[in-house]
Every structure is written in C-alpha cells, then in structure tokens.
C-alpha cells in the first residue's frame, strides 16, 4: 500500500538522525567488521537515468562520501539486446553531473563473465547446479505456487560429469537458444519461490556491446548481481524493496560459493506523482514521439531535469528530504520544485523579461532620451552586485498586467492606477490604445522623475511593482513554459488504460514573441536566472541552436501553483 507524503515548506530544525542503512554502516565500522565501506550503483544501460535512480545514487555515493568509503559504478550489462553505449555514456554523464565520482572504479557485469562462468562450474562440481532441458512452460508449471510446493525436474539428478559436459556444450554453442538452461539445485518445496531451483544461465545468441560474440550464454540477474558484488568487495549492496524476496537467494550463493559476504539491504523506491518512472515506459514516450527525446525538459530523467534547469544541488536536497524508508510511498512532484526554488532563490541572478508583451509608452519621457538604472542581481546575496538597466520612453510590459476595468484589489495598471516600474520610476495611467478587434496594443503612462528607485522623494504611493523591458535594447526570444507531463497523479495506476492516455495536452506552451533585458545577451546556456515575477529560467543550448534565436526554458514558477 502506498501513502502520500506532503512536503515540508519550511526549513525546520532537524538534528541529523541516521537512517537505518547508515546505522548499519556506522555499526559495521565501529565493530571493525569493515575497515572501509564499499558501495556500488548498478544501472542497466538500457535507458537514461531518472529521478528514482538519483535517489539510489545519492544513497550509495552519499554514504561512501560521508564515511570515507569507496563506490563503484557498475553497468549491469547482461541483457545485450536492450543495452547500448549511448546509455552508458548518458549514465556516466548524469552521475558526474550530480557531483559524484566512482572512486572505487568503473565495472561492467561483463567484466566478470569468466568468473561467473567459473562460479557456475563450481556449483555444478559441488552438486548444486544442473542443466535442465525442459521448455519454459513446463518449468513454470513445476514451480508450484506460493501455497503449494513445486515438483522436481526429471533432469535434477543428472551426474556432476554429465552436467559439466552439458554446461560446456552450452558455452561452446552446441545447443540452440532456449534449448536448455542451468539451474541452481536448491529446494523445489521452498516457501520462497525464488529458491525453487532458479535459472542461473540461459543460451542467448545476441551480440554484446562489449564482449561481442564471445558468449552465447548469459547469467541471469540473480546470479550475476550478487556475485559481482562479492568479486568487487562490496560491503553494503543497497537496492530497492522488490529485491527483498531475492535476498535469501543472494545469501545462498554467497554461502555455497564461499565468497566475500556482501550484504544486501533494501530501501523503498522513489515514486513521484504525475510521473512514470520505468525506463521501459520512458522509452515508449521517446519512441512514440510524445516527447522530444530522453532529455526533453518534461521528462523525469536526470538529463531532462538538467535541461529544464534543475541544479545538482536541488536534486540532492530533494533526495535528502525524501529520506530513506522501508515502506513505499508517493512523493509530491512539488517537493522537487520546492528544492529547486529553495536553491535558486539563494543563487540565481535576477533579470527582467516580458513573455506576452504590449507597448508601454511613457508620454512625458523625452523621445530619443535614455538612461541607465541600477538593479540588484540578487536581493538574497548582496555580493552578487547589480547591473545597469537601460530605460527610455518606449518599454514592453506584460499583457496581463493591464486591465481596462479593475477594482480596488488590482495593484497593476488600469485606468486610474499608479504603479512602480521595478528598479525605475512610479508611473500613472494616462490612456490606452486598442486594435479594431478590441485587443489592447499600447498603454500610455506618465512618470514621476523624482520617484526613482533608491532616491524616491516623490511622496507618491504605488502598491504594485511591475517588471518591464526597454524596447530599443530588448532581445527577442522564445520561452517554453512547462507543466506536468501527465494530468493524472498516477498515470500508470489505471487498469485497462495505457499511461499515454493521461498525457497532459498542455504540458508545453511556447511563447515565441518574448522580450528580454539586454544583459541576458551574455547568459550562458544552462545558467539559471530568476525572471522577476515569473519564475526561474535558463537558456536551452540545443533548442537555441536549432531555432537560430535564443530559446529559454522555464524551470519552475516562483510559487507552487499546483497544490493537488
Ligand atoms: P526501471 O524500473 O526504471 O527500469 P530499474 O530498477 O530496472 O529501473 P536499474 O538500472 O536496474 O533500473 O536500476 C539501478 C539501480 O537504481 C537499482 O539498484 C535500483 O534499485 C535503483 N532504482 C531504480 N528505480 C528506482 C527508484 N524509483 N527509486 C530508487 N531507486 C531506484
Ligand atoms: Mg533493473
């Protein structure tokens, strides 16, 4: 069962208390069981990493980091058909970007194929594995059910010599794909179904991205994973809860092969609402063209979040806040956004941009005149300094900052209203011009020369402050606004309905006629800015190059507009 977790809005005082896995680590170091801990992150290179993986990464790398340990990056490449170098490269890039280094080394399960083969042979020699020639359906039937024991295969009692010979033949390619398998000989009556003589090797002729055609037999996950942990000297092998039922098998192999006793510990996987988190389903979004690639800014992938403008620190803060639990739950997507706002509010420079521009004319400001007004780069960080904003008679303002009719609660522009232009002057409504179809095109105001921000002695009160951009120096840009990719909180939780049915048709809004202040000419792709009153944005290198003009992504709005 899952439960919803609301997210914290404040920095409550939290004395760091150890989560249950860290407690094990601390105890193992204190007792001398291990002098140094050694963890690993074992992705299968069959897709890009997502925010769920980030949680696993932060846990394994984070523990090693804070306890002077080692951590390996291990590509679990036992399924050649679905894996590729593109994914390996993307995984490396994403882990590095999160700020981690695999100081214990980079490994591939395929590095260990010889050792794994030797382990399998050892099991056969000890009478603990056998070659089975039955088809998959028959073996499944013999497995029994959780409430009834299975039955032994007729091949279970083959001699060691015969099994050794058959296994060598499997390796040599003497048998067609699927013709036979190697099984561990454990107990067909075991209450744990995974212990009922699990398959440990299968024949599969497919080209492997690293070992080519050297092998036509491949180890199964359960046989590869734990043994690689041992071979690499992993002390704490941390994985998600679905592997809990595999743990007895993990330990059976260690015991029966008499190898380094890595310890598997499980934790709850990260689930986020309005999101899907399986690589297989994310691949479908890409292949079916619902998104613009694995790194589409709406994707819950690390590369998508990076492109959207998330910072490594915000993702690490998020993982930290989610915590390590033993019970599955669903986290609000808005916690992720909170973590980004929290980081960027402290660090991002401010700038002004108008996304839906209409003209704002200062009728008493002389034509042809201009001046430069200082504006602070970050009110949270005085050391960030200020920049000069060009100001003149013709400006751009936001369309929805003007109303033809407004009541007392409207603090923006309207007939009769007075507002401050951010870092500039107080202005008062004079007039506005509409097109034939009724659309407002221009708003005319007069300004008060002695109301300049920082040296205001006009005595005039303005309740609202509007952002603006000087027309003659504005940069034309496109801005992409993103919303949840799915409109349903649990898109893959509806029986009989495909998750793609719940895609949010409004997840992307393109504003093609935006005006940015000229200082953003110097902006680097990926550097976050707060656009005053609008949210956090960063320039998208790839989209800008494709479009031939600057394209900016909105990373997150200033406030949580999605309570739901
Ligand atoms: P997916 O189901 O998305 O394809 P996976 O578990 O098959 O994910 P792997 O590449 O095998 O992907 O995962 C590498 C590691 O990341 C595993 O140890 C796995 O437990 C962990 N992991 C995967 N998804 C999550 C998640 N949502 N939360 C926490 N850890 C996760
Ligand atoms: Mg997996």
């Amino acid at each position: 069962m899952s439960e919803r977790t609301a997210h914290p809005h404040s920095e409550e005082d939290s004395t760091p208390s150890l989560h249950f896995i860290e407690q094990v680590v601390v105890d193992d170091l204190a007792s001398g069981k291990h002098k140094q801990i050694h963890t690993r992150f074992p992705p299968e290179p069959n897709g890009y990493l997502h925010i769920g993986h980030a949680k696993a990464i932060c846990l394994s790398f984070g523990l090693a980091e804070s306890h002077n340990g080692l951590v390996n990056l291990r590509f679990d490449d036992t399924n050649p058909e679905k894996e590729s170098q593109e994914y390996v490269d993307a995984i490396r890039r994403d882990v590095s970007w999160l700020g981690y280094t695999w100081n214990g080394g980079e490994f591939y399960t395929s590095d260990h194929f010889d050792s794994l083969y030797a382990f399998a042979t050892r099991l056969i020699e000890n009478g603990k594995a056998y070659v089975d020639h039955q088809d998959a359906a028959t073996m499944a039937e013999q497995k029994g059910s959780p409430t009834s024991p299975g039955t032994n295969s007729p091949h279970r009692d083959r001699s060691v010599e015969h099994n050794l010979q058959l296994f060598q033949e499997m390796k040599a390619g003497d048998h067609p794909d699927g013709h036979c398998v190697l099984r561990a000989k454990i107990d067909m009556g075991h209450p744990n179904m995974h212990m009922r003589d699990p398959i440990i090797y299968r024949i599969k002729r497919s080209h492997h991205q690293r070992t080519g055609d050297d092998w036509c037999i491949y180890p199964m996950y359960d046989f590869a994973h734990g043994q690689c942990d041992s071979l690499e000297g992993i002390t704490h092998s941390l994985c998600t809860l679905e592997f809990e039922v595999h743990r007895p098998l993990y330990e059976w192999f260690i015991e029966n092969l008499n190898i380094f006793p890595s310890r598997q510990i499980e934790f709850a996987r990260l689930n986020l609402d309005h999101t899907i988190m399986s690589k297989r389903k994310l691949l479908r979004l890409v292949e079916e063209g619902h998104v613009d690639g694995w790194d589409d800014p709406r994707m819950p992938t690390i590369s998508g979040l990076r492109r959207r403008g998330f910072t490594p620190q915000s993702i690490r803060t998020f993982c930290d806040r989610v915590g390590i639990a033993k019970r599955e739950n669903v986290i609000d997507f808005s916690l992720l956004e909170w973590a980004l706002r929290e980081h960027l509010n402290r660090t991002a420079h401010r700038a002004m941009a108008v996304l839906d521009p209409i003209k704002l004319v200062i009728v008493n400001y002389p034509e042809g005149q201009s001046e430069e007004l200082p504006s602070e780069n970050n009110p949270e960080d005085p050391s960030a300094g200020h920049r000069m904003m060009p100001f003149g008679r013709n400006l751009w303002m936001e369309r929805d900052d003007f109303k033809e009719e407004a009541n007392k609660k409207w603090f923006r522009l309207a007939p009769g209203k007075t507002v401050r232009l951010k870092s500039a002057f107080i202005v008062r409504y004079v007039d506005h011009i509409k097109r034939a179809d009724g659309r407002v095109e221009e708003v005319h105001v007069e300004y008060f020369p002695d109301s300049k921000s920082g040296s205001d002695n006009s005595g005039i009160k303005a309740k609202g402050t509007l952002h603006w951009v000087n027309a003659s120096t504005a940069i034309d840009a496109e801005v992409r606004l993103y919303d949840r990719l799915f409109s349903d909180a649990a898109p893959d939780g509806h029986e009989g309905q495909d998750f793609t049915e719940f895609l949010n048709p409004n997840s992307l809004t393109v504003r093609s006629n935006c005006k940015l202040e000229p200082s953003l000419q110097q902006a680097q792709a990926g550097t976050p800015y707060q656009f005053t009153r609008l949210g956090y944005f960063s320039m998208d290198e790839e989209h800008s190059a494709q479009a031939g003009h600057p394209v900016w992504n909105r990373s997150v709005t200033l406030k949580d507009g999605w309570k739901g």
Side-chain angles (χ1 to χ4, degrees):
M1 274 279 84
S2 68
E3 72 188 37
R4 299 194 114 240
T5 306
H7 66 78
H9 284 277
S10 62
E11 284 286 329
E12 72 271 7
D13 156 61
S14 51
T15 354
S17 65
L18 301 185
H19 59 69
F20 71 101
I21 297 180
E22 188 155 31
Q23 191 63 57
V24 171
V25 163
V26 166
D27 292 347
D28 286 351
L29 288 170
S31 72
K33 180 175 178 189
H34 300 294
K35 281 206 177 59
Q36 186 178 39
I37 65 155
H38 199 155
T39 61
R40 89 290 173 263
F41 173 64
E44 180 178 357
N46 63 347
Y48 281 56
L49 298 180
H50 51 63
I51 183 72
H53 294 114
K55 176 177 172 177
I57 292 169
C58 288
L59 175 61
S60 282
F61 282 80
L63 275 178
E65 201 171 78
S66 46
H67 296 278
N68 274 319
L70 296 172
V71 52
N72 292 0
L73 177 60
R74 182 194 313 139
F75 292 100
D76 186 16
D77 57 347
T78 52
N79 203 357
E81 284 161 336
K82 296 195 172 131
E83 297 161 0
S84 78
Q85 189 61 37
E86 177 199 348
Y87 297 139
V88 168
D89 295 339
I91 290 169
R92 280 201 199 113
R93 188 162 58 233
D94 289 347
V95 176
S96 298
W97 178 76
L98 282 173
Y100 294 115
T101 41
W102 34 109
N103 59 355
E106 178 174 310
F107 294 89
Y108 293 77
T109 298
S110 56
D111 294 340
H112 303 301
F113 278 171
D114 284 321
S115 307
L116 294 171
Y117 180 79
F119 284 153
T121 304
R122 194 188 301 171
L123 283 183
I124 297 173
E125 285 165 354
N126 295 338
K128 288 175 176 158
Y130 62 97
V131 173
D132 198 342
H133 275 82
Q134 302 178 98
D135 59 40
T138 312
M139 282 191 280
E141 214 170 287
Q142 287 170 355
K143 264 233 139 138
S145 76
T147 49
S148 61
T151 44
N152 286 353
S153 160
H155 306 128
R156 199 172 196 265
D157 293 317
R158 281 173 164 158
S159 69
V160 167
E161 291 66 34
H162 193 192
N163 279 317
L164 280 176
Q165 185 203 330
L166 287 170
F167 189 47
Q168 275 157 17
E169 287 172 14
M170 281 171 64
K171 178 178 188 259
D174 296 346
H175 301 281
D177 284 14
H179 184 69
C180 47
V181 293
L182 184 70
R183 299 176 73 176
K185 190 170 175 177
I186 306 179
D187 179 0
M188 289 303 288
H190 201 286
N192 181 330
M193 299 280 286
H194 294 281
M195 299 292 275
R196 295 185 187 172
D197 291 10
I199 296 173
I200 57 179
Y201 262 95
R202 60 181 171 156
I203 307 174
K204 194 155 191 84
R205 285 176 177 76
S206 57
H207 188 81
H208 189 282
Q209 70 269 20
R210 285 175 66 85
T211 56
D213 297 313
D214 290 355
W215 295 87
C216 63
I217 56 172
Y218 289 98
M220 301 300 284
Y221 176 85
D222 279 322
F223 191 69
H225 193 88
Q227 281 54 261
C228 291
D229 284 345
S230 274
L231 288 164
E232 294 171 20
I234 302 303
T235 55
H236 301 85
S237 174
L238 313 177
C239 60
T240 35
L241 281 179
E242 69 271 23
F243 294 105
E244 193 172 7
V245 287
H246 297 246
R247 187 169 5 113
L249 183 56
Y250 184 98
E251 289 170 353
W252 189 90
F253 287 130
I254 285 175
E255 218 177 283
N256 285 277
L257 290 166
N258 193 22
I259 51 180
F260 181 80
S262 303
R263 173 165 174 197
Q264 175 180 306
I265 308 174
E266 309 85 17
F267 61 95
R269 67 171 37 235
L270 172 69
N271 302 300
L272 262 191
D273 66 3
H274 296 279
T275 307
I276 51 160
M277 212 112 73
S278 124
K279 282 182 281 187
R280 189 174 50 78
K281 289 178 182 162
L282 294 173
L283 177 62
R284 272 193 55 202
L285 290 177
V286 174
E287 285 183 337
E288 293 171 18
H290 300 296
V291 295
D292 177 25
W294 282 98
D295 66 348
D296 185 297
R298 292 166 293 179
M299 289 281 268
T301 51
I302 297 179
S303 51
L305 292 168
R306 172 169 63 234
R307 196 156 171 203
R308 170 95 164 241
F310 276 75
T311 56
Q313 190 172 332
S314 63
I315 293 176
R316 288 168 72 151
T317 300
F318 167 76
C319 292
D320 204 47
R321 278 307 171 103
V322 167
I324 300 300
K326 274 188 200 167
R327 216 150 69 95
E328 293 276 341
N329 58 13
V330 180
I331 304 293
D332 270 20
F333 195 89
S334 51
L335 179 61
L336 187 56
E337 298 184 321
W338 166 85
L340 182 62
R341 277 187 205 106
E342 209 275 323
H343 183 215
L344 295 186
N345 182 44
R346 286 183 283 118
T347 55
H349 281 196
R350 276 51 172 171
M352 289 205 266
V354 175
L355 303 191
D356 186 7
I358 56 173
K359 285 182 180 158
L360 175 64
V361 181
I362 312 215
V363 294
N364 60 338
Y365 196 94
E367 198 92 55
Q369 187 175 310
S370 68
E371 64 192 290
E372 300 255 315
L373 303 169
S375 190
E376 59 197 339
N377 284 329
N378 186 353
E380 305 289 318
D381 173 13
S383 74
H386 67 271
R387 66 200 184 282
M388 299 307 284
M389 299 274 299
F391 183 84
R393 177 184 170 93
N394 296 304
L395 309 177
W396 295 110
M397 68 173 282
E398 210 70 68
R399 175 174 298 282
D400 62 9
D401 279 340
F402 178 76
K403 256 189 194 172
E404 291 189 84
E405 281 171 54
N407 64 18
K408 280 210 170 97
K409 287 184 186 142
W410 181 254
F411 299 130
R412 310 184 213 173
L413 268 176
K417 300 279 181 183
T418 299
V419 298
R420 172 170 291 285
L421 298 180
K422 165 84 181 151
S423 300
F425 300 92
I426 293 176
V427 298
R428 182 163 65 199
Y429 172 86
V430 172
D431 194 9
H432 67 280
I433 296 177
K434 291 199 282 188
R435 289 196 316 212
D437 65 1
R439 211 168 136 89
V440 174
E441 280 205 310
E442 282 183 41
V443 178
H444 294 179
V445 294
E446 57 182 357
Y447 88 119
F448 299 95
D450 55 355
S451 67
K452 192 192 275 190
S453 291
S455 57
D456 181 3
N457 45 34
S458 66
I460 299 167
K461 293 241 178 320
K463 281 209 170 132
T465 300
L466 304 189
H467 61 275
W468 53 276
V469 168
N470 181 47
S472 65
T473 53
I475 303 168
D476 291 313
E478 175 181 321
V479 173
R480 299 187 177 198
L481 308 177
Y482 299 103
D483 198 350
R484 304 279 190 270
L485 184 52
F486 293 96
S487 39
D488 189 272
D492 54 4
H494 299 266
E495 207 158 313
Q497 276 176 292
D498 193 59
F499 66 94
T500 55
E501 290 177 42
F502 302 99
L503 281 161
N504 175 4
N506 303 314
S507 61
L508 169 64
T509 305
V510 177
R511 294 282 177 83
S512 51
N513 179 34
C514 306
K515 307 289 180 184
L516 314 184
E517 66 163 78
S519 76
L520 292 173
Q521 203 79 61
Q522 271 80 51
Q524 302 282 317
T527 300
Y529 285 87
Q530 184 190 104
F531 287 177
T532 301
R533 297 175 64 224
L534 298 175
Y536 295 96
F537 294 77
S538 71
M539 191 166 64
D540 189 312
E541 190 159 30
E542 209 176 304
H543 280 146
S544 299
Q546 276 162 12
H549 56 241
V551 177
W552 287 67
N553 292 325
R554 183 169 69 194
S555 316
V556 67
T557 53
L558 288 179
K559 287 206 187 87
D560 185 357
W562 244 88
K563 293 280 156 48

